[in-house]
Amino acid sequence: MQTTPVRWTTDDLELFAGDRRNRYEIIDGELFVTKSPSWDHQSSCGNIVTVLNNWSDETGLGKAAIAPGIIFSDSDNVIPDVVWASHERLKYLLDEAGHLTGAPELVIEVLSPGEKNEKRDRETKLKLYSVQGVQEYWICDSIQRKVEVYRREQAALKLVATLFSQDELTSPLLPGFTCLVNKLF
């Protein structure tokens, strides 16, 4: 007898509304549960959002946020660590409740310890963000102090650079933005 796997939906997340210890995400109907991020993880997220928002304040081009939920569909509901979206795009992405309903230009994930967590960010989320139209995806590794930069090429996100501590991070999405990688950690 063959069993049909459970396909989770956004409505199912209400079952976990009182749980503050875990983070729940759904990708292609599969439920992913992770522990709340560590101090170092959240510190890196804070550093990233700070440098992005400082640049955004200078240019007036957009905004960055920590851990906003993105509801792509009933079966794809994720919580990236940091996102940046242009003001122009934000007008179309935010629903009445202030939730993102589509792909921001830039998504950043800070790796959490563990093989399953790393696989989710490097494979499952990379595929999701690619399919959904994210223009650029950064995977930040605070242990190795490096950033892997994926950019949209021929309708898919492709690895274009691996930057280390003393390298400068730039992006065609963010004109004039520059930051030493070690400032993110």
Side-chain angles (χ1 to χ4, degrees):
M1 178 174 251
Q2 197 173 26
T3 59
T4 305
V6 173
R7 286 202 44 90
W8 294 83
T9 68
T10 298
D11 289 339
D12 294 326
L13 293 177
E14 289 300 316
L15 297 169
F16 311 108
D19 183 355
R20 300 287 179 232
R21 292 184 174 185
N22 295 303
R23 182 182 279 189
Y24 297 89
E25 298 177 294
I26 300 170
I27 302 173
D28 194 24
E30 184 178 346
L31 181 66
F32 291 83
V33 183
T34 55
K35 293 184 190 262
S36 293
S38 70
W39 178 273
D40 288 340
H41 182 279
Q42 289 304 88
S43 179
S44 291
C45 292
N47 293 342
I48 294 165
V49 83
T50 297
V51 298
L52 287 172
N53 276 332
N54 286 344
W55 174 85
S56 294
D57 289 346
E58 290 173 15
T59 64
L61 294 177
K63 283 186 176 180
I66 295 176
I70 304 177
I71 304 167
F72 289 118
S73 70
D74 254 2
S75 59
D76 290 304
N77 186 330
V78 293
I79 306 170
D81 290 319
V82 177
V83 303
W84 181 87
S86 66
H87 290 301
E88 183 178 315
R89 195 161 187 152
L90 269 176
K91 290 188 286 189
Y92 302 103
L93 293 180
L94 294 174
D95 66 13
E96 293 170 3
H99 298 112
L100 294 172
T101 59
E105 286 96 335
L106 173 62
V107 173
I108 299 124
E109 295 286 358
V110 176
L111 292 177
S112 294
E115 190 176 322
K116 285 175 76 175
N117 293 327
E118 192 167 327
K119 183 177 179 177
R120 183 191 62 243
D121 288 347
R122 291 187 184 281
E123 295 175 20
T124 309
K125 284 190 170 183
L126 173 62
K127 180 181 173 186
L128 175 67
Y129 297 148
S130 189
V131 167
Q132 293 296 331
V134 169
Q135 297 299 304
E136 194 161 306
Y137 179 42
W138 301 349
I139 297 177
C140 298
D141 184 333
S142 58
I143 294 169
Q144 295 188 30
R145 299 203 178 279
K146 71 178 184 178
V147 177
E148 295 170 3
V149 177
Y150 293 81
R151 289 199 182 112
R152 182 161 293 287
E153 291 181 5
Q154 299 176 357
L157 289 169
K158 305 280 185 188
L159 180 65
V160 296
T162 301
L163 305 172
F164 294 90
S165 191
Q166 294 305 309
D167 292 328
E168 277 199 347
L169 176 60
T170 62
S171 170
L173 288 175
L174 312 169
F177 173 83
T178 183
C179 176
L180 281 176
V181 167
N182 68 4
K183 297 278 187 198
L184 305 179
F185 307 107

